Amino acid sequence: MVMITGTMVNYFIHCPRQCWLFGHRINLEDNSEDVRIGRVLHELKQEGSKHKEISVENIKIDKITKEYVIEIKKSDADLEASKYQLLFYMKVLKDKGIKRKGKLEVIEKNKQDHKIHIFELTLDLEKELEKVIEDIRLLLLQEQPPQGVYNKKCNRCAYYEYCFL
Ligand code: SF4
């Protein structure tokens, strides 16, 4: 079974075609998920919590504190996609006994003010997330990607040339 990642969840909300392309390793981006997993493990150990031995697989997290799992983005152009990515990390951690709220920090280049969004994994959101994960599994079983439909999100997408040129 395909391992679902936070990036896949983000892409699915952003654009199912993007998720399919990424999931089938048509990878036009640098994906340094392994490096980030190492960093999370290190931070968990630093925290000195009773969860020292937990191995966090398949997720990449920018930072974890006693209260929050933190994701840092350069833009909030697709806040919904970032939110579900963060909810996914919260769920993976929760399933391992680590309960955290989610903090999304948007640090835009050349801007002084940082925007902060806080999320909690409510039961309703958890159910929605489970549905998203199931939909991703079904999507990735398809032999062909869904058709790309141009919209303004495409301009910033790494697959733009792949889809439209
Ligand atoms: S360019 Fe547009 S249609 Fe193609 S994967 Fe990206 S967001 Fe989806």
Side-chain angles (χ1 to χ4, degrees):
M1 197 187 276
V2 184
M3 283 277 234
I4 305 296
T5 68
T7 304
M8 283 182 195
V9 172
N10 183 309
Y11 286 180
F12 180 78
I13 301 291
H14 185 249
C15 165
R17 179 178 168 85
Q18 187 184 22
C19 180
W20 190 98
L21 292 172
F22 182 79
H24 285 79
R25 306 202 184 281
I26 301 169
N27 195 352
L28 306 178
E29 297 174 282
D30 173 37
N31 180 26
S32 50
E33 199 143 284
D34 290 347
V35 176
R36 299 177 89 194
I37 289 170
R39 203 191 314 150
V40 171
L41 286 172
H42 178 72
E43 294 208 15
L44 279 172
K45 282 182 184 160
Q46 292 271 313
E47 202 188 346
S49 74
K50 61 181 190 298
H51 305 297
K52 262 184 192 166
E53 302 306 320
I54 283 170
S55 69
V56 182
E57 302 145 12
N58 204 32
I59 62 169
K60 53 175 189 177
I61 292 172
D62 286 326
K63 215 171 167 188
I64 190 160
T65 66
K66 279 197 165 52
E67 201 174 351
Y68 295 106
V69 48
I70 300 170
E71 177 72 10
I72 298 169
K73 295 282 184 200
K74 290 190 205 119
S75 142
D76 62 359
D78 195 337
L79 190 59
E80 197 66 3
S82 302
K83 171 182 155 185
Y84 273 85
Q85 182 176 358
L86 191 50
L87 291 174
F88 176 78
Y89 296 151
M90 290 154 75
K91 166 94 176 114
V92 172
L93 291 175
K94 184 185 164 196
D95 289 347
K96 293 178 183 298
I98 305 171
K99 286 193 188 164
R100 294 291 188 276
K101 283 186 256 183
K103 186 190 278 189
L104 180 68
E105 293 183 15
V106 183
I107 303 176
E108 290 187 60
K109 227 178 167 184
N110 304 326
K111 288 205 179 158
Q112 296 288 330
D113 55 327
H114 298 171
K115 287 184 213 151
I116 295 192
H117 305 270
I118 304 287
F119 302 107
E120 292 207 42
L121 188 63
T122 60
L123 280 180
D124 282 351
L125 281 174
E126 199 168 338
K127 272 193 205 139
E128 277 179 42
L129 180 66
E130 277 162 8
K131 168 87 171 61
V132 165
I133 291 169
E134 186 51 31
D135 287 349
I136 292 174
R137 288 198 198 289
L138 293 174
L139 172 77
L140 294 179
L141 287 175
Q142 291 177 19
E143 284 187 9
Q144 297 293 324
Q147 199 65 38
V149 180
Y150 179 78
N151 68 61
K152 66 179 173 55
K153 287 180 188 173
C154 299
N155 296 332
R156 298 171 67 130
C157 176
Y159 294 103
Y160 178 80
E161 294 188 3
Y162 191 86
C163 291
F164 298 114
L165 296 182

